[in-house]
Amino acid sequence: MNKLLLHAEGFMVLVISIYFYAGNGFSWLLFFLLLFIPDLWMIGYAFNRKVGAIIYNMVHTYVFSILLILIGLTFSNDMFLAIGLISVAHIGMDRTFGYGLKYPTDFKDTHLQRI
């Protein structure tokens, strides 16, 4: 049940971030170009599993995304706001499909799969 709730939560985050992105009239081309950029941080796994998990998790937590959104709102900067919302959408999409924060044991070991 907990796993199902976390997947539903991820889906709602995805939907809400898309709603606010669309509500601000941002570019859909930008959205689709940047949606998968956070996955490039898997490059950390080229070093080892521990470094890979740390780097991947830094980009796949809401902390970084929310900071971008707050900067965008505070300074009326649409680019920061748009990128922050895209980042939140990416994380929500990942969580919807069961991709969570990584443990250093293996790329497939995530906080969603151990529940």
Side-chain angles (χ1 to χ4, degrees), residues 4-84:
L4 179 64
L5 288 172
L6 288 172
H7 289 285
E9 178 183 71
F11 180 72
M12 292 308 299
V13 167
L14 173 63
V15 169
I16 290 168
S17 60
I18 290 172
Y19 173 81
F20 283 108
Y21 189 87
N24 280 287
F26 296 139
S27 165
W28 288 108
L29 178 61
L30 180 68
F31 184 87
F32 290 111
L33 286 174
L34 297 183
L35 184 61
F36 293 100
I37 292 295
D39 285 337
L40 293 177
W41 292 101
M42 285 188 278
I43 193 73
Y45 282 93
F47 296 100
N48 62 48
R49 284 183 241 158
K50 183 178 181 180
V51 170
I54 291 168
I55 293 172
Y56 183 90
N57 290 344
M58 285 175 34
V59 178
H60 284 82
T61 62
Y62 291 113
V63 174
F64 177 71
S65 305
I66 291 171
L67 282 175
L68 289 174
I69 291 169
L70 289 175
I71 290 168
L73 291 172
T74 302
F75 298 104
S76 298
N77 186 312
D78 284 347
M79 188 55 71
F80 276 93
L81 181 57
I83 292 171

Side-chain angles (χ1 to χ4, degrees), residues 71-113:
I71 290 168
L73 291 172
T74 302
F75 298 104
S76 298
N77 186 312
D78 284 347
M79 188 55 71
F80 276 93
L81 181 57
I83 292 171
L85 288 169
I86 293 168
S87 182
V88 168
H90 174 87
I91 296 168
M93 179 182 64
D94 273 3
R95 305 281 164 81
T96 299
F97 294 115
Y99 300 109
L101 299 175
K102 308 299 182 195
Y103 288 105
T105 53
D106 190 80
F107 182 78
K108 293 180 180 182
D109 291 339
T110 72
H111 79 287
L112 293 177
Q113 294 177 354

